[in-house]
Amino acid sequence: MKQTRLIGLTLGALLALSTTALAQDITVAVAGPMTGGESAFGRQMKNGAEQAVADINAAGGVLNKKLALEIGDDACDPKQARSVAEKFASAKIPFVAGHYCSSSSIPASEAYADGNVLQITPASTNPLFTERKLWNVARVCGRDDQQGLVAADYIAKNFKGKNVAILNDKTTYGKGLADETKKALNKAGFTEKMFESYNKGDKDFTAIVSRMKRDNIDLVYVGGYHQESGLLVRQMRDQGLKTVLMAGDALADKEFASITGPAGDGTLFTFGPDPRNKPTAKAIVERFKAKNIDPEGYTLYTYAAMQVWTQAVAKAGTTEPKKVMDTIKASAWDTVIGKLEFDAKGDIKQIDYVVYKWDAKGNYAEIDPGKGT
């Protein structure tokens, strides 16, 4: 039986959910931007979920049953995300690893809560996701108020007395991250020279680049995604600006380097310590590489989300979402990204972010250890 299927907003999707999985399977799901501007991260999540399901099934499954995986495409669109969530809830899927964009995870989580679905996001960092007292949400990544603090600390130390601009793309993720970084910078006594916004999907940054040039901006911090950040870097270099660009975890995919080319050299971003380098990930990384897949970015975070749920189901002896969530919050879990514990909100207790730098060859490496929060 084909274990992986893709659903979006088609009329036949719900029927497919209810008829194509064998009765003995437990159907779970992964949801994210399988299409659209952030599809590179949807690909990461799909790869992580598929490998996790394959490995779990090879080890005997869970509760003496195999897992079947559904894939939902939200294209990072809030309405489409809620539609996918409603379909999964109607199909009585007990668990979803997703979504990627905070602007998708937040509305989807409400549909999941109403439909009795447990949701663990591998990647959504906006604090609001876990701040609404929903019973069904958790994340295996950090939060923007933690990530922004590390970025601000780096900027304050390394660009003291320099001119800094802060941009955001008006999205839940981008504006939230920019606001948290600005707040932490201002608290440290550092005032930005420029604070502007643009629209996600913009391709022409001439006006913003011209203003940065006029204001002699040394570093621009971008709360936004890799597509626009990559274009901004190229256009800065085209106008002769040597301004350093710094952003968040949305730059953790090699597609960023394919957009910028050598112009991306020196670009900074924050992300968790590279899970590919952890001893807990060695064997799993080798399995990915055997398939010519680089488990970068949120690939292993998605794998970890699947591990947490599966282990909790085995311990609880049921897939009933509320009982599984109670179990998740009551214990510690061994995962590919290390041991994880969750607080009452669904946030992980083990948090740290580090600063990375892209080079001219399209690779990134850690340059600053940041600090745990």
Side-chain angles (χ1 to χ4, degrees):
M1 184 197 73
K2 184 173 175 62
Q3 297 284 339
T4 303
R5 293 169 294 276
L6 176 66
I7 81 158
L9 297 176
T10 63
L11 292 174
L14 186 56
L15 179 62
L17 280 171
S18 61
T19 62
T20 57
L22 293 176
Q24 67 267 31
D25 287 340
I26 298 173
T27 301
V28 295
V30 60
M34 304 302 157
T35 59
E38 311 314 318
S39 61
F41 291 92
R43 181 192 68 243
Q44 291 178 4
M45 295 171 68
K46 179 174 178 287
N47 287 339
E50 287 180 338
Q51 186 64 54
V53 166
D55 290 346
I56 291 163
N57 286 341
V62 61
L63 302 182
N64 297 315
K65 295 182 179 181
K66 299 290 186 179
L67 296 181
L69 181 67
E70 295 287 349
I71 299 172
D73 177 23
D74 65 20
C76 271
D77 175 80
K79 291 182 180 178
Q80 190 164 326
R82 185 172 180 96
S83 179
V84 168
E86 288 171 349
K87 287 182 171 68
F88 284 156
S90 295
K92 301 189 184 306
I93 289 177
F95 166 64
V96 175
H99 296 220
Y100 170 68
C101 292
S102 294
S103 57
S104 292
S105 277
I106 291 171
S109 67
E110 296 164 0
Y112 291 137
D114 291 341
N116 198 34
V117 179
L118 193 157
Q119 176 189 7
I120 301 178
T121 176
S124 294
T125 53
N126 189 281
L128 187 61
F129 178 71
T130 50
E131 289 290 340
R132 294 162 300 149
K133 299 182 179 179
L134 293 181
W135 67 268
N136 64 317
V137 297
R139 58 178 138 209
V140 293
C141 59
R143 295 164 44 126
D144 289 333
D145 47 359
Q146 297 154 344
Q147 184 172 196
L149 184 63
V150 171
D153 183 66
Y154 181 88
I155 294 168
K157 286 179 179 177
N158 293 278
F159 288 84
K160 186 177 182 179
K162 303 289 187 179
N163 295 325
V164 171
I166 300 175
L167 306 179
N168 77 84
D169 66 358
K170 303 179 185 177
T171 67
T172 304
Y173 163 74
K175 188 174 187 308
L177 181 55
D179 285 348
E180 292 293 347
T181 303
K182 172 180 163 58
K183 183 167 65 176
L185 270 175
N186 294 164
K187 187 175 181 180
F190 194 110
T191 302
E192 71 282 356
K193 185 152 187 176
M194 173 181 167
F195 188 85
E196 293 288 343
S197 59
Y198 59 90
N199 294 309
K200 189 176 186 299
D202 282 355
K203 292 181 170 40
D204 184 357
F205 294 94
T206 303
I208 288 176
V209 172
S210 295
R211 182 175 171 190
M212 287 196 293
K213 192 172 185 177
R214 185 178 68 244
D215 289 349
N216 296 312
I217 299 298
D218 297 291
L219 177 139
V220 56
Y221 184 85
V222 179
Y225 293 94
H226 71 296
Q227 297 273 5
E228 294 79 18
S229 295
L231 292 174
L232 178 59
V233 167
R234 282 174 49 185
Q235 291 173 37
M236 287 194 301
R237 301 299 175 258
D238 288 345
Q239 290 200 32
L241 267 72
K242 295 182 180 180
T243 304
V244 174
L245 185 141
M246 186 176 192
D249 53 301
L251 265 58
D253 188 276
K254 287 183 179 175
E255 190 170 282
F256 173 76
S258 73
I259 296 169
T260 64
D265 185 28
T267 297
L268 307 172
F269 70 97
T270 48
F271 189 56
D274 195 333
R276 294 173 296 183
N277 297 332
K278 295 188 177 183
T280 50
K282 184 176 180 182
I284 295 165
V285 168
E286 288 175 356
R287 288 201 286 276
F288 275 110
K289 289 186 175 179
K291 298 179 179 179
N292 293 317
I293 294 172
D294 180 3
E296 64 179 331
Y298 284 109
T299 306
L300 295 177
Y301 284 79
T302 308
Y303 191 108
M306 288 283 180
Q307 286 181 303
V308 169
W309 180 82
T310 302
Q311 292 174 40
V313 166
K315 187 168 185 176
T318 179
T319 60
E320 204 288 311
K322 291 183 180 178
K323 291 181 179 178
V324 175
M325 183 59 86
D326 288 342
T327 303
I328 287 172
K329 292 178 179 178
S331 302
W333 309 101
D334 292 317
T335 78
V336 66
I337 62 174
K339 188 177 288 291
L340 298 178
E341 291 182 84
F342 296 82
D343 64 19
K345 296 177 182 178
D347 289 317
I348 53 173
K349 297 178 181 179
Q350 303 81 1
I351 297 292
D352 52 5
Y353 278 98
V354 298
V355 180
Y356 293 87
K357 180 186 284 188
W358 282 99
D359 64 26
K361 295 181 179 179
N363 299 308
Y364 59 81
E366 179 183 329
I367 63 164
D368 186 278
K371 56 185 174 181
T373 56

